[in-house]
Amino acid sequence: MKRLIAMSLLVVLVGAGVRVHAEDGADMTYISGTVAGMKEGTAGSLDMTAVKELRFHAGAEELSVPFERMTRIEYREENRFRLGVVGTIVVGIVKAREKVHTVTITWTDDKGTPNVATLGMTRERAVNVLDVLKARTHVVPTACEAKFNRSCVQPKKD
């Protein structure tokens, strides 16, 4: 039993110490999507200063999404790691569980082909991105519950 507890603590401490750091100037990560030439896990920055489009810069790669062509915006918050009951209790005693915040943007290109891009970022950055997208698009962002059914629901109105 002592070995099991010691191994669990070791795994939790090592897992808590391992973090993914973005490159300098990068504030989010391209997690997945249909963008040609963009690799999954690419760190970059989002430029929301343009009036007509959203731009994601990742080194030489760039993704531009016109605000008027966006058809769906989805925010999701989930636990970074699945730890099981014992791991959750142990980590909960030591520190708060780490969360992953993603914004998924769906749009159509000039030919009418649907595209999607999922970007991972901090909670604060996600709130800022959603505020800008609410102001500049006709699409109402949805928030996905991090529950068992993982259904998307309309956000509560203020």
Side-chain angles (χ1 to χ4, degrees), residues 6-143:
M7 288 300 290
S8 297
L9 284 174
L10 179 65
V11 168
V12 169
L13 293 176
V14 168
V18 175
R19 293 185 183 252
V20 177
H21 293 286
E23 299 169 9
D24 291 335
D27 58 356
M28 60 188 54
T29 305
Y30 175 80
I31 296 176
S32 66
T34 59
V35 180
M38 188 79 66
K39 294 180 184 176
E40 292 182 1
T42 302
S45 61
L46 198 62
D47 177 14
M48 297 181 293
T49 58
V51 177
K52 297 189 178 203
E53 64 187 4
L54 182 72
R55 295 182 190 136
F56 177 71
H57 302 281
E61 302 294 327
E62 183 175 313
L63 165 65
S64 296
V65 181
F67 290 121
E68 71 223 14
R69 295 195 176 267
M70 291 183 187
T71 57
R72 183 178 175 135
I73 303 163
E74 179 181 299
Y75 170 75
R76 186 180 301 268
E77 174 184 305
E78 294 182 354
N79 291 324
R80 185 168 180 88
F81 301 106
R82 307 240 183 256
L83 302 173
V85 176
V86 175
T88 301
I89 292 170
V90 171
V91 170
I93 292 171
V94 177
K95 69 174 201 141
R97 292 192 60 189
E98 197 170 331
K99 302 281 186 179
V100 175
H101 304 274
T102 60
V103 174
T104 302
I105 300 169
T106 307
W107 73 97
T108 56
D109 62 11
D110 296 335
K111 298 175 184 174
T113 306
N115 290 292
V116 65
T118 301
L119 304 171
M121 60 198 79
T122 64
R123 178 176 167 74
E124 294 79 17
R125 185 69 169 145
V127 169
N128 293 338
V129 168
L130 290 174
D131 287 343
V132 169
L133 292 176
K134 276 185 208 174
R136 296 204 175 153
T137 67
H138 62 280
V139 181
V140 177
T142 57

